[in-house]
Structures are given as structure tokens and as C-alpha cells.
Amino acid sequence: MIAQELAHDCKAQMDSALPLPTPDMDGDALFRLGMMYSTGQGGAPMDRVSAHMIFNLAAMKGSIEARAYRKELSAEMDREDLAEAQRAARRWIDQGAVSLAA
């Protein structure tokens, strides 16, 4: 399972060995996590949808770099994958897995 697939499954998140977003991560930490998914390093599979989702979360927490990488990644993705990445980001926020409060 990849990060965006785990966005709806709290138990699977806890059981996962994948690096996943957490409520205590700031924009910079989320940006680094997004880089892991965009390059397939650090124990994360290469996955553009998950990378975009995480860059989106990082951008919402103030990461300027994440905004730039999200825009670049968007140009390489099809419409359906972009929509899935946005839905997944909303699921992470809705279930409290990522806090946007400052």
C-alpha cells in the first residue's frame, strides 16, 4: 500500500512500515517526505500521487519548496491522478492524520 491508499484506513496507517505524514510534522518535514515519494528513496516507493498529496499538505503548512515541486509534479500527472492526490490530501486532513493548525 502507498501513502495515498492509506489515507482512508487508520489501522493500516499504524501497521504500515511506509513513512507516512503525522500530525506533528511541519511543512519542511512533510516536504522531505514528499521528496522521498517523488524519488522512491528512504523506504518510500516512487509514487507521484502520494508525493503530490504530501507536497499539498506541506504547502498548506507553509513550505514554499513544496508548492514549487507540487506544481512541477502536476505537469507530469494526468487529470485523474491529480484528482486522486487532492482527495487523498483531504482524507488525511479530515481524519486528523495531519493537523493544519499553526
Side-chain angles (χ1 to χ4, degrees), residues 83-100:
E84 178 54 33
Q86 292 169 343
R87 283 191 298 271
R90 281 192 293 274
R91 287 191 300 263
W92 279 100
I93 294 164
D94 289 348
Q95 69 180 338
V98 174
S99 170
L100 296 181

mmCIF file of all heavy atoms in Angstrom, residues 83-100:
data_model
loop_
_atom_site.group_PDB
_atom_site.id
_atom_site.type_symbol
_atom_site.label_atom_id
_atom_site.label_comp_id
_atom_site.label_asym_id
_atom_site.label_seq_id
_atom_site.Cartn_x
_atom_site.Cartn_y
_atom_site.Cartn_z
ATOM 1 N N ALA A 83 -6.589 14.464 -9.328
ATOM 2 C CA ALA A 83 -7.813 14.449 -8.537
ATOM 3 C C ALA A 83 -7.687 13.480 -7.361
ATOM 4 O O ALA A 83 -8.115 13.791 -6.245
ATOM 5 C CB ALA A 83 -9.007 14.079 -9.412
ATOM 6 N N GLU A 84 -7.081 12.304 -7.588
ATOM 7 C CA GLU A 84 -6.890 11.336 -6.504
ATOM 8 C C GLU A 84 -5.954 11.891 -5.435
ATOM 9 O O GLU A 84 -6.185 11.709 -4.249
ATOM 10 C CB GLU A 84 -6.369 10.012 -7.042
ATOM 11 C CG GLU A 84 -6.091 8.980 -5.957
ATOM 12 C CD GLU A 84 -7.263 8.694 -5.030
ATOM 13 O OE1 GLU A 84 -8.426 8.751 -5.459
ATOM 14 O OE2 GLU A 84 -7.021 8.411 -3.837
ATOM 15 N N ALA A 85 -4.897 12.565 -5.847
ATOM 16 C CA ALA A 85 -3.959 13.160 -4.884
ATOM 17 C C ALA A 85 -4.664 14.206 -4.017
ATOM 18 O O ALA A 85 -4.450 14.264 -2.803
ATOM 19 C CB ALA A 85 -2.779 13.781 -5.618
ATOM 20 N N GLN A 86 -5.523 15.003 -4.613
ATOM 21 C CA GLN A 86 -6.251 16.023 -3.855
ATOM 22 C C GLN A 86 -7.263 15.394 -2.908
ATOM 23 O O GLN A 86 -7.398 15.831 -1.760
ATOM 24 C CB GLN A 86 -6.916 17.009 -4.815
ATOM 25 C CG GLN A 86 -5.881 17.845 -5.540
ATOM 26 C CD GLN A 86 -6.448 18.648 -6.680
ATOM 27 O OE1 GLN A 86 -7.559 18.369 -7.167
ATOM 28 N NE2 GLN A 86 -5.701 19.635 -7.135
ATOM 29 N N ARG A 87 -7.954 14.356 -3.379
ATOM 30 C CA ARG A 87 -8.891 13.651 -2.486
ATOM 31 C C ARG A 87 -8.145 13.018 -1.306
ATOM 32 O O ARG A 87 -8.603 13.069 -0.164
ATOM 33 C CB ARG A 87 -9.662 12.574 -3.253
ATOM 34 C CG ARG A 87 -10.775 13.108 -4.125
ATOM 35 C CD ARG A 87 -11.677 11.987 -4.651
ATOM 36 N NE ARG A 87 -10.947 11.034 -5.485
ATOM 37 C CZ ARG A 87 -10.784 11.145 -6.800
ATOM 38 N NH1 ARG A 87 -11.283 12.191 -7.448
ATOM 39 N NH2 ARG A 87 -10.127 10.225 -7.479
ATOM 40 N N ALA A 88 -7.000 12.425 -1.589
ATOM 41 C CA ALA A 88 -6.219 11.779 -0.528
ATOM 42 C C ALA A 88 -5.749 12.800 0.501
ATOM 43 O O ALA A 88 -5.782 12.526 1.706
ATOM 44 C CB ALA A 88 -5.032 11.033 -1.133
ATOM 45 N N ALA A 89 -5.318 13.966 0.051
ATOM 46 C CA ALA A 89 -4.894 15.013 0.998
ATOM 47 C C ALA A 89 -6.060 15.418 1.895
ATOM 48 O O ALA A 89 -5.891 15.580 3.107
ATOM 49 C CB ALA A 89 -4.349 16.225 0.240
ATOM 50 N N ARG A 90 -7.234 15.557 1.302
ATOM 51 C CA ARG A 90 -8.413 15.901 2.118
ATOM 52 C C ARG A 90 -8.725 14.806 3.139
ATOM 53 O O ARG A 90 -9.101 15.092 4.272
ATOM 54 C CB ARG A 90 -9.628 16.153 1.231
ATOM 55 C CG ARG A 90 -9.621 17.520 0.582
ATOM 56 C CD ARG A 90 -10.959 17.860 -0.046
ATOM 57 N NE ARG A 90 -11.282 17.019 -1.187
ATOM 58 C CZ ARG A 90 -10.896 17.254 -2.430
ATOM 59 N NH1 ARG A 90 -10.166 18.311 -2.709
ATOM 60 N NH2 ARG A 90 -11.240 16.430 -3.397
ATOM 61 N N ARG A 91 -8.575 13.529 2.736
ATOM 62 C CA ARG A 91 -8.832 12.426 3.674
ATOM 63 C C ARG A 91 -7.860 12.483 4.849
ATOM 64 O O ARG A 91 -8.261 12.258 5.993
ATOM 65 C CB ARG A 91 -8.745 11.076 2.960
ATOM 66 C CG ARG A 91 -9.926 10.791 2.050
ATOM 67 C CD ARG A 91 -9.957 9.348 1.562
ATOM 68 N NE ARG A 91 -8.788 8.951 0.815
ATOM 69 C CZ ARG A 91 -8.696 8.939 -0.522
ATOM 70 N NH1 ARG A 91 -9.714 9.335 -1.260
ATOM 71 N NH2 ARG A 91 -7.600 8.527 -1.106
ATOM 72 N N TRP A 92 -6.571 12.746 4.564
ATOM 73 C CA TRP A 92 -5.595 12.847 5.657
ATOM 74 C C TRP A 92 -6.002 13.955 6.623
ATOM 75 O O TRP A 92 -5.942 13.796 7.835
ATOM 76 C CB TRP A 92 -4.192 13.119 5.115
ATOM 77 C CG TRP A 92 -3.485 11.914 4.628
ATOM 78 C CD1 TRP A 92 -3.351 11.514 3.330
ATOM 79 C CD2 TRP A 92 -2.807 10.917 5.406
ATOM 80 N NE1 TRP A 92 -2.637 10.338 3.256
ATOM 81 C CE2 TRP A 92 -2.292 9.953 4.522
ATOM 82 C CE3 TRP A 92 -2.588 10.750 6.766
ATOM 83 C CZ2 TRP A 92 -1.576 8.846 4.958
ATOM 84 C CZ3 TRP A 92 -1.870 9.650 7.201
ATOM 85 C CH2 TRP A 92 -1.373 8.711 6.295
ATOM 86 N N ILE A 93 -6.411 15.102 6.085
ATOM 87 C CA ILE A 93 -6.818 16.234 6.932
ATOM 88 C C ILE A 93 -8.079 15.895 7.704
ATOM 89 O O ILE A 93 -8.152 16.116 8.920
ATOM 90 C CB ILE A 93 -7.012 17.497 6.069
ATOM 91 C CG1 ILE A 93 -5.683 17.940 5.477
ATOM 92 C CG2 ILE A 93 -7.642 18.617 6.882
ATOM 93 C CD1 ILE A 93 -5.804 18.918 4.331
ATOM 94 N N ASP A 94 -9.081 15.344 7.027
ATOM 95 C CA ASP A 94 -10.377 15.046 7.667
ATOM 96 C C ASP A 94 -10.245 14.059 8.812
ATOM 97 O O ASP A 94 -10.979 14.162 9.793
ATOM 98 C CB ASP A 94 -11.361 14.499 6.630
ATOM 99 C CG ASP A 94 -11.838 15.550 5.644
ATOM 100 O OD1 ASP A 94 -11.588 16.764 5.897
ATOM 101 O OD2 ASP A 94 -12.436 15.171 4.625
ATOM 102 N N GLN A 95 -9.353 13.104 8.705
ATOM 103 C CA GLN A 95 -9.224 12.121 9.788
ATOM 104 C C GLN A 95 -8.228 12.554 10.858
ATOM 105 O O GLN A 95 -8.001 11.827 11.814
ATOM 106 C CB GLN A 95 -8.869 10.759 9.230
ATOM 107 C CG GLN A 95 -7.488 10.650 8.658
ATOM 108 C CD GLN A 95 -7.217 9.257 8.110
ATOM 109 O OE1 GLN A 95 -7.878 8.306 8.503
ATOM 110 N NE2 GLN A 95 -6.268 9.153 7.227
ATOM 111 N N GLY A 96 -7.658 13.744 10.706
ATOM 112 C CA GLY A 96 -6.765 14.275 11.736
ATOM 113 C C GLY A 96 -5.356 13.731 11.683
ATOM 114 O O GLY A 96 -4.571 13.935 12.605
ATOM 115 N N ALA A 97 -5.004 13.022 10.611
ATOM 116 C CA ALA A 97 -3.648 12.471 10.494
ATOM 117 C C ALA A 97 -2.634 13.568 10.257
ATOM 118 O O ALA A 97 -1.449 13.391 10.531
ATOM 119 C CB ALA A 97 -3.575 11.451 9.362
ATOM 120 N N VAL A 98 -3.081 14.711 9.770
ATOM 121 C CA VAL A 98 -2.227 15.886 9.590
ATOM 122 C C VAL A 98 -2.991 17.069 10.118
ATOM 123 O O VAL A 98 -4.127 17.322 9.729
ATOM 124 C CB VAL A 98 -1.872 16.107 8.098
ATOM 125 C CG1 VAL A 98 -1.117 17.406 7.918
ATOM 126 C CG2 VAL A 98 -1.023 14.948 7.592
ATOM 127 N N SER A 99 -2.379 17.797 11.042
ATOM 128 C CA SER A 99 -3.007 18.980 11.618
ATOM 129 C C SER A 99 -2.536 20.216 10.872
ATOM 130 O O SER A 99 -1.344 20.402 10.656
ATOM 131 C CB SER A 99 -2.617 19.074 13.099
ATOM 132 O OG SER A 99 -3.023 20.328 13.603
ATOM 133 N N LEU A 100 -3.478 21.068 10.474
ATOM 134 C CA LEU A 100 -3.096 22.283 9.766
ATOM 135 C C LEU A 100 -3.061 23.481 10.706
ATOM 136 O O LEU A 100 -2.723 24.573 10.287
ATOM 137 C CB LEU A 100 -4.085 22.557 8.620
ATOM 138 C CG LEU A 100 -4.078 21.483 7.534
ATOM 139 C CD1 LEU A 100 -5.072 21.847 6.437
ATOM 140 C CD2 LEU A 100 -2.687 21.313 6.948
#
